[in-house]
Amino acid sequence: MSSYYTETTKMSDIICEQPSTLQMMSRFGLPLGVGEKTVAEVCGLNGVDTRTFLAVANFTKYGPEGATDFASEVSVEALVSYLKQAHNYFLDFQLPSIRRKLLEAIVCTNTSEVNEVSGLILKFYDDYMAEVRRHMQHEDRHIFTYVKSLLEGRKPADFEISRFAKSHTGIDRKLQELKNIIIKYYTPGEAADLLNTVLYDIFICEADLRRHCQVEDYIFVPAVQQLEERVEEGVAAPETANQEQASAGVLSEREKEVVACVVKGMSNKQIADKLFISLNTVLTHRKNIARKLDIHSVSGLTIYAIVNSIVKLDA
């Protein structure tokens, strides 16, 4: 899709088109004052992996389809940092801020009957906040620690990221329930304006939490699964790969097989089936090939394969 954000897109254009980019920038540690700089320039100046930023930005605009062209090249390390900052934002700022506004709205109610309901609503919200805190602290302490081990080349035997994916339900759902209860069954009296304001904030928070969970499901989990496979196969992770080998352009035998398949016009799925490897492993090999050779097109790979006798002209 021609309208995908790319390295040359102006950061200011993304912000104006997608205001939620402001939250992304904060979580990536990117400051404002971007001027006319491109995404690559802003990310480069601040030490942020450009492809990871683009994966999240395009996912935010287009959904899972938008991350496809970038998801195989994200930095797991950069993703973990992004998700940790998102957790801090939700737990230390957004959710407490909504609670303060909710409390201010419900204490303005005069009747004891509604005050009783108000107390139940506040308890509902407090229980929800505690649930989100447990969920995110579990990720911080266990999931991200597991990923750190993978980045160091070690795979703990007692866990796989697929277990996290299977148990990872949307933490935005209970917030949606609270929102619906207030809209349908709560009469605020004189606090109508205050309650409308906090409801709007809940809508924003609900969408932000849903997007956060989807980034984990559609970008983080697949990226970690690829990392797991690299560690199991003894292939260095991109963040810790031997740069000397990469610059030498030395392909492994498996990578040569993948190049031959690509040159023959096979899809990633066809390559996976032919070589009896997973689709994620194919994507990993293609990424490593592009990095080692600095070749990113099929035509370029064709020339390389012919010159290096990986394929023959009459094959």
Side-chain angles (χ1 to χ4, degrees):
M1 187 177 294
S2 60
S3 56
Y4 278 168
Y5 301 133
T6 68
E7 290 89 343
T8 60
T9 305
K10 290 183 181 180
M11 186 67 83
S12 58
D13 290 343
I14 300 181
I15 295 171
C16 292
E17 184 176 358
Q18 293 286 330
S20 59
T21 303
L22 292 169
Q23 293 172 322
M24 284 176 48
M25 291 180 67
S26 176
R27 294 166 195 178
F28 276 112
L30 296 173
L32 290 175
V34 297
E36 297 298 310
K37 295 183 182 68
T38 65
V39 169
E41 290 171 334
V42 173
C43 289
L45 287 171
N46 294 278
V48 173
D49 184 77
T50 303
R51 302 295 284 182
T52 305
F53 177 87
L54 287 170
V56 179
N58 282 300
F59 177 86
T60 299
K61 184 174 182 181
Y62 296 107
E65 177 188 353
T68 301
D69 291 345
F70 304 91
S72 64
E73 299 184 17
V74 300
S75 162
V76 175
E77 194 170 23
L79 269 179
V80 169
S81 176
Y82 169 85
L83 294 173
K84 283 183 176 179
Q85 289 301 318
H87 289 179
N88 292 338
Y89 172 78
F90 286 121
L91 297 179
D92 298 337
F93 175 73
Q94 192 172 37
L95 291 172
S97 175
I98 290 175
R99 188 190 190 280
R100 288 193 296 270
K101 292 179 180 179
L102 182 61
L103 179 62
E104 182 182 3
I106 63 180
V107 296
C108 290
T109 306
N110 297 320
T111 68
S112 59
E113 179 183 354
V114 179
N115 275 334
E116 183 177 352
V117 176
S118 301
L120 293 174
I121 288 175
L122 192 60
K123 183 179 184 305
F124 189 108
Y125 186 80
D126 287 343
D127 290 344
Y128 171 73
M129 279 187 60
E131 180 181 328
V132 174
R133 185 173 299 277
R134 286 192 299 270
H135 174 88
M136 292 184 173
Q137 287 179 343
H138 171 75
E139 290 183 15
D140 291 342
R141 294 169 183 171
H142 301 287
I143 305 303
F144 297 155
T145 299
Y146 169 73
V147 172
K148 181 180 178 183
S149 297
L150 292 175
L151 290 169
E152 294 171 349
R154 297 179 290 105
K155 185 179 185 305
D158 59 344
F159 187 78
E160 289 185 345
I161 198 64
S162 58
R163 287 172 52 188
F164 166 70
K166 290 178 181 177
S167 63
H168 185 217
T169 56
I171 56 175
D172 62 299
R173 293 175 185 171
K174 197 168 183 179
L175 196 59
Q176 182 180 13
E177 183 179 345
L178 173 63
K179 176 192 67 181
N180 290 338
I181 289 173
I182 295 175
I183 292 172
K184 294 179 179 180
Y185 306 112
Y186 186 76
T187 304
E190 297 177 0
D193 289 343
L194 289 173
L195 198 59
N196 287 346
T197 299
V198 74
L199 266 177
Y200 181 78
D201 288 344
I202 290 175
F203 271 98
I204 298 299
C205 184
E206 177 192 356
D208 196 10
L209 278 167
R210 184 182 304 113
R211 186 164 51 246
H212 172 79
C213 292
Q214 291 172 338
V215 167
E216 291 183 328
D217 289 339
Y218 291 102
I219 302 179
F220 175 67
V221 169
V224 175
Q225 287 175 329
Q226 292 182 39
L227 179 57
E228 286 176 333
E229 293 180 358
R230 287 196 295 269
V231 172
E232 289 174 343
E233 294 179 2
V235 180
E239 289 85 352
T240 58
N242 186 300
Q243 297 301 318
E244 187 175 312
Q245 179 187 21
S247 62
V250 179
L251 298 185
S252 68
E253 290 304 313
R254 177 63 86 187
E255 288 168 342
K256 290 178 182 177
E257 291 177 327
V258 172
V259 168
C261 292
V262 171
V263 170
K264 292 175 183 177
M266 297 174 64
S267 68
N268 289 333
K269 186 178 186 308
Q270 289 172 326
I271 296 172
D273 293 340
K274 177 179 175 58
L275 301 181
F276 302 103
I277 56 179
S278 73
L279 181 59
N280 284 338
T281 301
V282 174
L283 294 173
T284 297
H285 284 313
R286 293 195 65 168
K287 176 183 176 181
N288 290 340
I289 291 165
R291 187 181 70 249
K292 288 181 178 182
L293 303 181
D294 195 22
I295 297 175
H296 303 274
S297 66
V298 175
S299 58
L301 284 177
T302 301
I303 296 171
Y304 173 87
I306 293 172
V307 170
N308 290 275
S309 301
I310 294 175
V311 298
K312 295 180 181 180
L313 287 172
D314 56 354

